[in-house]
Amino acid sequence: MGTNWEPMLAQTGRAKYRALVESIGKGIAEGALVPGQKLPPVRELAFRLNITPGTVARAYSILVDDGTLVAGVGRGTYVAEPTPAAFEADAGGMIDFFSPRIPKMGQEELIRDALKRVALDLPSNALMQYPKRETNLPARKAFADWMKDAPVGHYSLDDIVITHGGQNAILHVMQALLRGHDPVVLVDEVTFSGFRKAAELCRARVVGVPWDGEGPDPVALENLVQSTGAGLYCTSAEVNNPTTRSTTARRRREIAAIALRHGMHVLDDDCYHTGNHTAESYRALLPDLGWYISSPSKLVSPSLRVGFTIPPRGWVGEMLRSVQFSHFGVSSILTEAFALVMSNPKLPGIIEKVQSRINSDLRFVVNQLGGYPIRWRSNVPLVWVELPSGWRAPAFAQAAEARGVEMKSADEFTLREGRAVHAVRIALNGQMDQSRFEEGIRIIRSLLDNPPRSFTT
């Protein structure tokens, strides 16, 4: 390569082609590889690294697709020159579609006012003691009122368990449930990565469940329950993150019947709760096996690190023990502030404005990208884009990043051993200047309209 730089394929469990992509990218970032520098032919590098030529070709192909490398028939493969577009993006900052950002419509004022009231009104002993179960009763009441129309089945205030956000709730459910030396957790094939990460913290194996047009495939699910002995299935029946798909009412009943036959628990994560549900949650369908989780993070503010779990009958004690011995409960300061924010008469109007901005941005995205297979849902700040032929998900995300736009590739939502999904998730950023938002969507449209030519060795 004309320098002393040598690619290092660290043994991290990732695919060798991916390790090579990252090693070349690191070499460029650190200046060991410079623009215009020629890389070795595929077979030569494969021999040097003791890997297959196909592995090297795949890595080169990804880097050519995203503009990091350039290749010409008979000329070889070179480090690409920086493009003017990349410099312009750096000057203006990255356009962030990586994670949803809720529009600021006055929530911060409500939160500040609530914290001031808590500081003045909370009894001094509450400021000097660990929180107790009874001290978060106002927050549980506020949650129950907020969710009064949600189809989650019968429950009382005593059935609600408060945690540090929805992700923390997922972890506590697993800690309460999982047993044995080799527990198995089922998740949807394309789903929120937090399920997988929580299971890994609990040293559980994670197995993917395929979907069809109505939701989780019931035949596949039952076969997996029988073959793995899984005791927990994590899903989002109402709004799947990242695809925004819902499971139909009929399919939810079929999944509930399978869970009941095998005694399998079902965790229903409803953190993208928008107020409008299409069918009953698994907590309603499975009162003895269904868990319901929600939080205000996606609709009010992620700074309110409060999550709520409604366990199935007989499991409140186990959930409370997990919470108690993990962090001794959520601070009274936070639960009191949450209760004040959620009961503020200004909040419904603020939420209406938040949803209005989300839906306005969705309309722009649909107008720009509607010629491609996309999935979206009113009030949900996510758009799932299936890529046209010629694009692979990692390459598309990297090409977008080179143009100054960040988003998540489908790889973020699939299991390592699962099938490849060529799609990306656009998370709406309601805190971004409108012109920058529109610029980012147009860049994505330009990439979709101009897929790369196939790489040949």
Side-chain angles (χ1 to χ4, degrees):
M1 293 187 182
T3 72
N4 293 326
W5 181 82
E6 182 77 15
M8 300 294 292
L9 305 187
Q11 300 299 312
T12 60
R14 62 168 60 89
K16 291 181 179 179
Y17 80 91
R18 174 56 56 193
L20 181 56
V21 167
E22 293 178 0
S23 182
I24 293 173
K26 183 179 179 182
I28 294 171
E30 293 177 347
L33 292 171
V34 298
Q37 186 171 337
K38 186 176 181 180
L39 274 69
V42 167
R43 293 188 181 279
E44 178 185 330
L45 187 57
F47 177 79
R48 285 164 52 182
L49 298 178
N50 194 29
I51 57 179
T52 67
T55 298
V56 178
R58 188 175 183 187
Y60 278 9
S61 178
I62 289 172
L63 292 167
V64 167
D65 286 348
D66 70 18
T68 301
L69 303 178
V70 292
V73 177
R75 294 194 311 110
T77 305
Y78 296 80
V79 177
E81 297 287 344
T83 63
F87 284 121
E88 291 169 6
D90 289 340
M94 297 296 290
I95 297 174
D96 182 2
F97 295 147
F98 201 72
S99 297
R101 296 204 179 183
I102 302 172
K104 295 180 181 179
M105 297 296 177
Q107 307 98 308
E108 60 271 38
E109 285 80 7
L110 265 60
I111 295 170
R112 286 194 184 97
D113 290 344
L115 290 171
K116 290 175 184 176
R117 286 185 56 186
V118 169
L120 293 173
D121 298 344
L122 201 64
S124 58
N125 62 336
L127 296 172
M128 297 299 296
Q129 296 178 3
Y130 287 109
K132 298 179 180 178
R133 170 78 163 157
E134 55 268 24
T135 62
N136 65 37
L137 181 59
R140 285 182 278 140
K141 287 180 177 177
F143 170 76
D145 184 60
W146 181 46
M147 301 298 299
K148 62 180 181 297
D149 296 324
V152 297
H154 175 74
Y155 68 94
S156 70
L157 295 178
D158 288 338
D159 294 322
I160 301 171
V161 179
I162 298 182
T163 59
H164 284 288
Q167 178 64 30
N168 187 239
I170 292 169
L171 181 61
H172 283 301
V173 171
M174 292 185 183
Q175 288 177 339
L177 275 177
L178 299 180
R179 298 289 186 273
H181 70 281
D182 184 30
V184 175
V185 174
L186 301 182
V187 302
D188 298 319
E189 269 193 339
V190 181
T191 193
F192 172 51
S193 61
F195 290 144
R196 180 181 72 250
K197 292 172 182 176
E200 290 170 352
L201 285 174
C202 293
R203 294 179 172 81
R205 283 194 296 130
V206 184
V207 179
V209 178
W211 275 41
D212 60 20
E214 291 193 62
D217 183 328
V219 175
L221 177 65
E222 186 142 34
N223 288 338
L224 287 170
V225 177
Q226 292 172 335
S227 63
T228 66
L232 175 64
Y233 171 42
C234 297
T235 189
S236 295
E238 199 58 42
V239 181
N240 170 274
N241 174 17
T243 68
T244 76
R245 292 179 60 183
S246 294
T247 302
T248 65
R250 181 178 71 168
R251 182 55 53 81
R252 295 185 202 194
R253 292 192 293 270
E254 292 173 341
I255 299 303
I258 293 169
L260 192 60
R261 280 198 295 274
H262 297 280
M264 179 180 68
H265 288 253
V266 179
L267 186 160
D268 197 348
D269 180 358
D270 193 25
C271 284
Y272 277 96
H273 162 74
T274 65
N276 300 312
H277 290 80
T278 60
E280 290 179 294
S281 74
Y282 289 111
R283 170 64 173 68
L285 294 169
L286 293 163
D288 295 313
L289 295 168
W291 300 70
Y292 179 85
I293 289 175
S294 191
S295 87
S297 295
K298 304 300 189 296
L299 197 58
V300 182
S301 171
S303 72
L304 292 171
R305 301 310 304 149
V306 183
F308 297 87
T309 305
I310 306 176
R313 288 187 302 218
W315 283 89
V316 173
E318 285 294 327
M319 186 70 176
L320 285 173
R321 274 190 285 276
S322 179
V323 170
Q324 178 67 17
F325 293 114
S326 171
H327 50 71
F328 297 104
V330 177
S331 165
S332 299
I333 297 171
L334 190 54
T335 57
E336 287 290 327
F338 169 83
L340 290 171
V341 169
M342 299 306 290
S343 60
N344 192 303
K346 295 180 180 179
L347 184 63
I350 288 174
I351 290 177
E352 185 176 341
K353 291 178 182 178
V354 167
Q355 293 178 331
S356 177
R357 168 65 191 271
I358 290 172
N359 292 330
S360 174
D361 287 347
L362 284 172
R363 283 193 294 272
F364 183 83
V365 174
V366 172
N367 286 335
Q368 289 291 315
L369 309 184
Y372 294 94
I374 64 174
R375 290 186 178 276
W376 58 280
R377 181 168 171 178
S378 295
N379 301 329
V380 177
L382 305 175
V383 180
W384 182 246
V385 184
E386 297 179 16
L387 301 176
S389 177
W391 276 119
R392 290 178 290 268
F396 187 90
Q398 290 173 8
E401 186 174 356
R403 296 278 301 274
V405 179
E406 292 182 309
M407 71 191 79
K408 286 189 177 180
S409 159
D411 288 4
E412 298 277 346
F413 306 99
T414 57
L415 302 179
R416 282 186 286 272
E417 65 276 12
R419 64 183 179 89
V421 177
H422 299 306
V424 293
R425 189 197 73 177
I426 300 171
L428 302 186
N429 186 338
Q431 299 175 22
M432 182 186 298
D433 179 79
Q434 192 67 30
S435 63
R436 292 281 287 161
F437 167 78
E438 294 179 3
E439 176 191 358
I441 298 301
R442 290 193 180 99
I443 289 172
I444 293 171
R445 169 65 185 270
S446 174
L447 291 170
L448 291 170
D449 288 344
N450 297 282
R453 291 179 296 177
S454 298
F455 180 84
T456 58
T457 54

